[in-house]
């Protein structure tokens, strides 16, 4: 099996302030100093006004950071949107696209999400592309078809960027019913969906590509459940919301990944 480096990503959502961010990052730098020797990738996704702050706070560390969304366009008359180039100017190297909160509240379609992933790659940002079903989908046995509808446009728009069996993106499986609810998918439930995702990618892009792809789990991950979730074969780390805002919780989750 390919050795996939684990990634723990903190999605701050619309939270934080200059003061809170500084306290959080300083506490994490302190906590993770000896523990984070490079075995786990760690990244932070802040509200975009704080990218310049992270640019300064994270200088000289191994931590990456990025924005929680970008436009599929690069510049122009798109009021309120933020381009990949702007995000890059602040040293960001990653971006979340297609988070379920954007799909739900900003009506983002799977095609738009795929275009954003493409724009990210073209501008040297690593996209973490979120997919996942609602409770309604799960209860009506639609998990596989929903994931196919979300994944296929991403594959279509970014397959051309596969190089040496590496697809330059990360998928985050985030069941909508587990996000911010305190209800976590069981390790078996999550593992089963990660396998489905890997199989779909293998069918389109080949086994080597699918084996090198990192697939994160997201949805109510906490220090107490992280180790069990992350020990599943096809789970390569996590996208963490609420628990990424507390330094103890976030560093506990990072330590859990390393087992
Ligand atoms: P949560 O959010 O960890 O608060 O459930 C995860 C996410 O939305 O990325």
């Amino acid at each position: 099996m390919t050795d996939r480096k684990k990634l723990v990503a903190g999605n701050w959502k619309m939270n934080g302030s200059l003061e809170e961010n500084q306290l959080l990052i300083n506490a994490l730098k302190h906590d993770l100093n000896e523990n984070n020797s490079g075995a786990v990738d760690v990244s932070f996704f802040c509200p975009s006004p704080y990218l310049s702050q992270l640019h300064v706070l994270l200088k000289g560390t191994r931590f990456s950071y990025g924005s929680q969304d970008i436009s599929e366009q690069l510049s122009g008359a798109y009021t309120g949107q933020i381009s990949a180039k702007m995000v890059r100017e602040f040293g960001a190297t990653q971006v979340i696209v297609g988070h379920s909160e954007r799909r739900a509240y900003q009506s983002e379609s799977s095609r738009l999400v795929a275009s954003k992933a493409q724009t990210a790659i073209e501008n040297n940002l690593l996209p973490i592309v979120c997919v996942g079903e609602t409770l309604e989908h799960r209860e009506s046995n639609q998990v596989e078809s929903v994931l196919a509808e979300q994944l296929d446009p991403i594959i279509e728009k970014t397959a051309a960027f596969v190089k040496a069996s590496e697809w330059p993106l990360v998928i985050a499986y985030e069941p909508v019913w587990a996000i911010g609810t305190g209800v976590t998918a069981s390790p078996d439930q999550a593992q089963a969906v990660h396998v489905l995702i890997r199989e779909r990618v293998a069918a389109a892009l080949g086994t080597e590509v699918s084996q090198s792809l990192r697939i994160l789990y997201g949805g109510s991950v906490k220090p107490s459940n992280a180790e069990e979730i992350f020990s599943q074969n096809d789970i390569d780390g996590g996208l963490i919301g609420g628990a990424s805002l507390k330094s103890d919780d976030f560093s506990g989750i990072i330590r859990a990944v390393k087992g």
Side-chain angles (χ1 to χ4, degrees):
M1 202 189 75
T2 318
D3 215 6
R4 295 182 295 265
K5 190 167 182 192
K6 296 268 203 286
L7 166 64
V8 176
N11 173 12
W12 293 357
K13 308 194 179 182
M14 199 169 72
N15 292 296
S17 67
L18 289 171
E19 193 186 347
E20 286 167 1
N21 304 343
Q22 180 158 15
L23 288 171
L24 177 64
I25 294 293
N26 285 343
L28 285 167
K29 280 205 274 197
H30 180 262
D31 276 8
L32 295 171
N33 210 9
E34 324 108 67
N35 294 306
N36 188 32
S37 56
V40 184
D41 286 336
V42 176
S43 48
F44 301 94
F45 294 90
C46 62
S48 296
Y50 298 129
L51 284 170
S52 63
Q53 187 189 18
L54 289 195
H55 195 20
V56 174
L57 287 176
L58 297 178
K59 204 165 254 158
T61 71
R62 311 179 36 262
F63 305 134
S64 307
Y65 59 95
S67 60
Q68 298 167 10
D69 181 48
I70 47 163
S71 172
E72 77 282 17
Q73 308 289 343
L74 284 184
S75 64
Y78 301 100
T79 302
Q81 298 200 47
I82 294 162
S83 87
K85 286 200 162 135
M86 295 169 186
V87 168
R88 287 278 318 167
E89 273 197 299
F90 289 98
T93 53
Q94 303 183 0
V95 61
I96 296 174
V97 297
H99 191 280
S100 66
E101 285 150 17
R102 293 204 61 84
R103 291 181 192 257
Y105 307 143
Q106 265 72 37
S107 307
E108 293 196 0
S109 68
S110 294
R111 288 208 71 75
L112 177 65
V113 170
S115 296
K116 290 182 175 197
Q118 178 182 348
T119 300
I121 296 171
E122 285 169 349
N123 290 278
N124 291 320
L125 286 171
L126 176 73
I128 298 188
V129 190
C130 303
V131 298
E133 82 286 357
T134 62
L135 190 57
E136 211 182 346
H137 293 138
R138 179 161 281 266
E139 286 176 343
S140 54
N141 284 326
Q142 292 181 73
V143 175
E144 195 165 350
S145 58
V146 166
L147 285 169
E149 185 276 328
Q150 294 174 339
L151 281 171
D152 289 355
I154 300 164
I155 294 169
E156 188 194 313
K157 286 200 181 268
T158 65
F161 299 101
V162 171
K163 243 193 234 133
S165 298
E166 295 274 342
W167 194 21
L169 57 76
V170 172
I171 299 283
Y173 168 56
E174 298 208 302
V176 178
W177 47 272
I179 295 178
T181 58
V183 180
T184 318
S186 72
D188 288 350
Q189 273 175 328
Q191 165 65 16
V193 176
H194 283 224
V195 168
L196 275 181
I197 293 171
R198 223 178 275 291
E199 284 173 356
R200 191 139 196 114
V201 172
L205 302 176
T207 311
E208 271 187 70
V209 173
S210 80
Q211 282 302 317
S212 69
L213 171 68
R214 291 192 287 185
I215 307 176
L216 312 183
Y217 169 79
S220 297
V221 177
K222 316 179 245 290
S224 57
N225 59 23
E227 190 165 345
E228 209 189 349
I229 293 172
F230 298 154
S231 63
Q232 302 297 308
N233 271 347
D234 287 279
I235 300 184
D236 306 309
L239 182 54
I240 319 300
S244 73
L245 297 170
K246 296 184 202 117
S247 62
D248 288 355
D249 285 355
F250 197 54
S251 55
I253 289 169
I254 292 164
R255 277 193 281 271
V257 171
K258 295 169 78 181

